[in-house]
Amino acid sequence: MNKTPLKPLVLAACVALALGACGKQESASAPAAPASSASTPKAAAAPAAPSVFDVSELGPSTDACVDFNQFVNAKWVAANPIPSDQTVWGSFNLLREKSLKDQHDLVDAADKHADSATAGSIEQKIGWLYRSSMNMDARNKAGFEPLKPYLARIDALKSNKDIPAWLNQSFAKGDSAVFRFGARADYKNASMEIASANQGGLGLPTPDYYTDVKYKDIRDAYVKYLARLFELTGVPAAEAATKAGLAMKLETELATHSIPRVEMRKPENQYHFVSVAEANKVTPHFDWNNFFKSQGVTIDKGFSLSQPKFFTEMDKLLASAPLDEWKAYLAAHTISGAADALSEPFVDARFDFFDKTLRGQPEQRPQWKRSLAAVDDAMGQALGQLYVAKYFPPEAKTRAEELVHNIREALKNRIENLDWMSAETKAKAIDKWNKFLPKIGYPDKWRSWDGLKVTPDDYFANMEAAQKFDYDYNIAKIGKPTDRQEWFMTPQTVNAYYNPTDNTINFPAAILQPPFFYAKGDDAINYGGIGAVIGHESSHGFDDQGSQFDGSGNLDNWWTPADKKQFDARAQKLVDQFDNYAPLPDHPDLHVNGRLTLGENIADLGGLNIAYDALQTALKNHPDEAKEKIDGYTEDQRFFLNWARVWRGSIRDKAQMVYLNADPHSPMKFRAIGAPSNMPAFAQAFQCKPGDTMVRPDDKQVKIW
């Protein structure tokens, strides 16, 4: 089961990573914001309780100008080691654990009452799905029996000419293989959804894992993992090793012709519109007419064959790679993709490689968390509907909407007052700002789950049905208008995202909690937390990727050449700054990739500056609060303290190595210090002096938005 949906930009790394960046629709102005002062609703009247920020966790005051992350977070990190079932542990993870507990209560209740629940209700489906996943006795008894028909179809392939039909049938079941396929907004006409085919088919994190000498041990472990999977399906050890080697050989060919992660950040490498006839010239051995017919999709003028180089190589392999290689590759990915839905030996094998070997996680998560993750994957929006009803009161959404309004006003003011941008480009930037659509908490309209069949006792079949249901839902959008109101994150997700093709900023319910947002916290804490998150996602609309899309979501150059040159020069300084960071003391040669992380770093820098401006506006409206110290710290200081606390955490070395290569987010400790070190307001707040580590020299200080 290889579910690979096409997704947008997130605040932090999701799931296996740490926090995220990640949308779709037609041009429309953002809804009118309620009239309010630029302060956090209901926050200014009462000072924060001491528990809002525990200053006893801070280090010596002299450390603030040397390493602000150490000053704010070192004591907490030392006292809170990473749990054995985690690879990362920090503020985001604590809030995610709270969300998981809340969700666990919901699915537990759904399970207990599922048999008597309304037939076909989301409560019944969620309860039965969770129950079937938790029933390891039944899953162990079934072994790999559910997978046998899939493997038999692969074994029955007689020649390479049979492979396209196999792929067509596999995709029709919602099971991607070799490449990814789905609906997405047309980059040249974002008001409409088109079909999009994208490179895929790799099991390792990035293409260079297949060729770079430094990843040889990982490659060897991966081949052993594939061999173990074959053995678990009854293949003798020697034959299993041979099959694993054949699978790796073909997969390496695909990787060699895949666009690297940094280059994939460029929109021109994400979109290549062609007619079906033109696509068939690229892949003469793979007929796209037959593919679309088998998916039940009608193509009008064309679709995005997003990476032609990859598909050219795929076609060559269809023509020339030995059939035994193809059969081994398809079988290996079929087993690996289904492993977590099978018996314990398969689950353990997948954990041993992807979590323990690759990321350094000592122990598996408990079964209830794994089962909950399966429910989230299969019916996340349905579970979100239950989550919102119980855990997200309407007043929380109202307060968040006011904060979004205040932050957006601060962004507009910064754009209007930029000293390096021409009036012509500013007008286009403000037009884009006007068309921002903020979405808070949860969808206004919930998705229907009618037609999804779930039973209480067949987990594999349930996940198979959910995968096809979700795939059919996605491809049904092809040829239809883009829906800006659609969400690509569930309400229970602790994250946020911006989507350039629908120009929306999206803040799920679960992130609108401490340490990001306190209903009774002072303005500084809230603007340094959720305010900076809102600013971060808004700034994504103007980062190195987002700035290439206009207010209607179309890929369009709205910059004058001189302004674009200025932007690129300023962005390069940020690349240089992060290129110099090395997060692992035992591996000083491993640095952050400033180009890979540029979008997130621009969003951090812009978001923190925007949030700081909004705080100053709020404090002008409440001068008494502006002068007041809480626990010995000024409002400006508390603003930066909470920003750093948001990025509090630690990560296992192996996981960090993966993320340096694959994750567009910088390590947490550098997100805590990177943006503040470019802000004179930070230096002033903590009385830092020129020459201090947290004060970047004037010629290296980065100022963009």
Side-chain angles (χ1 to χ4, degrees):
M1 297 180 182
N2 296 301
K3 184 180 178 183
T4 54
L6 306 173
K7 294 183 179 179
L9 302 175
V10 298
L11 170 65
C14 305
V15 189
L17 307 184
L19 161 69
C22 314
K24 308 202 174 205
Q25 141 130 25
E26 222 180 284
S27 65
S29 297
S36 67
S37 66
S39 62
T40 306
K42 303 181 183 178
S51 60
V52 169
F53 193 102
D54 186 357
V55 296
S56 70
E57 295 175 344
L58 301 176
S61 59
T62 53
D63 289 349
C65 297
V66 177
D67 185 336
F68 195 55
N69 177 67
Q70 282 287 105
F71 170 64
V72 177
N73 296 325
K75 287 176 68 175
W76 185 93
V77 168
N80 292 272
I82 303 172
S84 58
D85 65 344
Q86 305 281 337
T87 58
V88 182
W89 195 243
S91 295
F92 271 89
N93 307 85
L94 290 173
L95 188 49
R96 283 175 179 157
E97 288 297 307
K98 178 183 182 302
S99 178
L100 288 177
K101 180 185 179 300
D102 293 340
Q103 293 174 63
H104 188 207
D105 291 344
L106 292 170
V107 296
D108 234 6
D111 176 16
K112 291 174 183 176
H113 301 100
D115 295 344
S116 59
T118 302
S121 63
I122 60 172
E123 290 84 355
Q124 184 179 72
K125 291 175 181 179
I126 288 171
W128 280 351
L129 177 58
Y130 181 71
R131 183 189 304 176
S132 68
S133 178
M134 290 291 290
N135 190 350
M136 287 308 302
D137 287 342
R139 290 169 60 181
N140 287 334
K141 184 178 180 181
F144 75 98
E145 195 70 27
L147 207 57
K148 287 183 178 179
Y150 290 84
L151 298 178
R153 283 187 54 237
I154 295 170
D155 193 52
L157 296 172
K158 301 301 182 184
S159 74
N160 285 29
K161 292 181 180 179
D162 297 332
I163 296 172
W166 185 94
L167 291 172
N168 293 349
Q169 186 176 346
S170 181
F171 271 96
K173 292 183 176 181
D175 195 3
S176 68
V178 187
F179 62 93
R180 297 180 298 128
F181 177 75
R184 76 182 313 164
D186 186 344
Y187 277 18
K188 293 296 185 180
N189 179 20
S191 65
M192 295 298 295
E193 297 276 323
I194 61 169
S196 181
N198 294 264
Q199 67 182 33
L202 307 183
L204 295 177
T206 61
D208 56 340
Y209 273 80
Y210 292 85
T211 54
D212 195 315
V213 64
K214 67 185 177 184
Y215 299 121
K216 183 182 183 302
D217 289 347
I218 296 294
R219 288 195 294 275
D220 291 345
Y222 181 55
V223 173
K224 289 180 181 178
Y225 159 68
L226 297 180
R228 184 179 176 189
L229 293 182
F230 280 118
E231 289 185 54
L232 290 174
T233 62
V235 178
E239 184 182 350
T242 299
K243 286 179 177 286
L246 291 172
M248 186 60 166
K249 184 178 179 182
L250 191 139
E251 195 168 323
T252 300
E253 288 296 322
L254 291 174
T256 302
H257 293 83
S258 297
I259 297 176
R261 188 62 60 95
V262 172
E263 293 302 306
M264 275 298 292
R265 296 193 71 254
K266 298 177 180 179
E268 61 265 29
N269 288 331
Q270 303 168 15
Y271 175 86
H272 182 72
F273 193 85
V274 295
S275 67
V276 176
E278 289 169 334
N280 282 339
K281 290 179 182 178
V282 177
T283 61
H285 300 92
F286 186 85
D287 190 319
W288 290 96
N289 278 308
N290 289 341
F291 175 78
F292 291 129
K293 184 177 180 180
S294 68
Q295 308 309 301
V297 170
T298 300
I299 301 298
D300 184 14
K301 296 179 180 179
F303 70 106
S304 178
L305 190 70
S306 302
Q307 297 84 31
K309 175 185 173 184
F310 172 86
F311 286 99
T312 297
E313 178 62 19
M314 181 192 82
D315 188 75
K316 288 179 181 178
L317 291 171
L318 285 172
S320 62
L323 180 61
D324 283 350
E325 280 186 22
W326 271 108
K327 291 169 76 169
Y329 167 81
L330 295 175
H333 278 259
T334 296
I335 303 168
S336 183
D340 280 337
L342 295 171
S343 59
E344 283 180 301
F346 289 90
V347 174
D348 291 344
R350 187 170 174 87
F351 165 78
D352 284 345
F353 175 71
F354 285 105
D355 295 310
K356 181 179 286 186
T357 299
L358 195 58
R359 294 184 173 88
Q361 182 176 319
E363 295 181 9
Q364 287 211 58
R365 294 174 297 164
Q367 180 60 47
W368 73 264
K369 285 187 179 180
R370 286 179 272 147
S371 294
L372 179 56
V375 174
D376 249 325
D377 183 56
M379 296 185 66
Q381 290 290 358
L383 181 55
Q385 191 171 345
L386 304 183
Y387 177 88
V388 166
K390 185 170 183 179
Y391 298 111
F392 192 61
E395 56 269 22
K397 183 169 184 173
T398 299
R399 291 195 292 271
E401 287 172 340
E402 292 187 45
L403 265 175
V404 168
H405 168 71
N406 297 340
I407 295 294
R408 288 188 68 242
E409 287 298 317
L411 171 59
K412 181 182 181 182
N413 185 64
R414 288 191 75 86
I415 293 172
E416 291 174 335
N417 288 283
L418 288 174
D419 60 5
W420 59 267
M421 182 180 282
S422 69
E424 181 181 350
T425 304
K426 282 183 183 179
K428 298 290 183 64
I430 293 299
D431 177 70
K432 181 168 188 174
W433 176 91
N434 279 324
K435 293 176 179 176
F436 265 151
L437 175 62
K439 294 185 292 188
I440 310 295
Y442 54 89
D444 291 335
K445 180 181 179 181
W446 294 106
R447 175 180 169 182
S448 170
W449 296 89
D450 293 344
L452 173 61
K453 183 180 178 181
V454 178
T455 65
D457 52 10
D458 193 337
Y459 179 52
F460 187 92
N462 286 340
M463 294 303 288
E464 187 179 41
Q467 182 171 272
K468 176 170 173 51
F469 184 82
D470 197 54
Y471 177 71
D472 289 345
Y473 174 82
N474 177 266
I475 64 174
K477 303 172 193 174
I478 295 171
K480 295 179 181 177
T482 302
D483 181 7
R484 289 185 88 194
Q485 298 296 336
E486 184 176 13
W487 281 70
F488 297 92
M489 227 174 239
T490 65
Q492 62 272 28
T493 301
V494 181
N495 216 323
Y497 72 94
Y498 170 78
N499 186 13
T501 57
D502 64 10
N503 200 25
T504 61
I505 48 177
N506 306 263
F507 307 97
I511 201 172
L512 301 172
Q513 302 180 72
F516 297 96
F517 177 67
Y518 294 83
K520 296 183 179 179
D522 54 301
D523 280 337
I525 290 294
N526 283 323
Y527 279 105
I530 194 62
V533 171
I534 296 167
H536 172 103
E537 299 308 334
S538 301
S539 296
H540 268 310
F542 303 97
D543 69 14
D544 62 314
Q545 285 183 307
S547 62
Q548 298 183 61
F549 293 82
D550 64 20
S552 297
N554 297 313
L555 183 61
D556 179 44
N557 183 10
W558 45 271
W559 294 72
T560 66
D563 289 339
K564 185 62 167 64
K565 185 177 180 180
Q566 273 270 20
F567 175 86
D568 290 344
R570 290 165 183 267
Q572 184 59 48
K573 291 173 72 173
L574 201 58
V575 171
D576 295 341
Q577 175 183 345
F578 280 83
D579 274 345
N580 284 321
Y581 290 143
L584 299 171
D586 292 338
H587 301 275
D589 57 321
L590 296 181
H591 286 247
V592 176
N593 186 328
R595 185 61 59 181
L596 175 63
T597 59
L598 179 58
E600 297 301 323
N601 298 334
I602 290 175
D604 279 353
L605 180 60
L608 195 61
N609 272 289
I610 294 163
Y612 181 79
D613 286 357
L615 171 63
Q616 301 313 303
T617 301
L619 294 179
K620 286 180 182 178
N621 293 330
H622 303 283
D624 291 341
E625 184 179 349
K627 297 176 182 178
E628 183 180 14
K629 286 187 176 182
I630 299 175
D631 297 326
Y633 289 89
T634 67
E635 287 291 271
D636 277 16
Q637 289 174 328
R638 288 171 66 79
F639 170 85
F640 289 109
L641 290 173
N642 203 33
W643 165 258
R645 181 174 61 168
V646 162
W647 300 110
R648 169 179 289 173
S650 53
I651 181 171
R652 299 187 189 279
D653 283 4
K654 283 188 175 182
Q656 185 66 84
M657 291 178 191
V658 173
Y659 301 158
L660 285 175
N661 199 44
D663 184 14
H665 304 85
S666 295
M668 293 176 287
K669 61 183 178 182
F670 298 134
R671 297 185 78 171
I673 67 173
S677 68
N678 284 301
M679 295 175 63
F682 171 83
Q684 184 176 350
F686 288 92
Q687 294 85 51
C688 302
K689 297 176 176 58
D692 287 340
T693 311
M694 284 298 301
V695 182
R696 291 179 64 75
D698 289 345
D699 63 330
K700 293 185 178 181
Q701 209 167 88
V702 187
K703 300 176 182 177
I704 304 178
W705 296 106

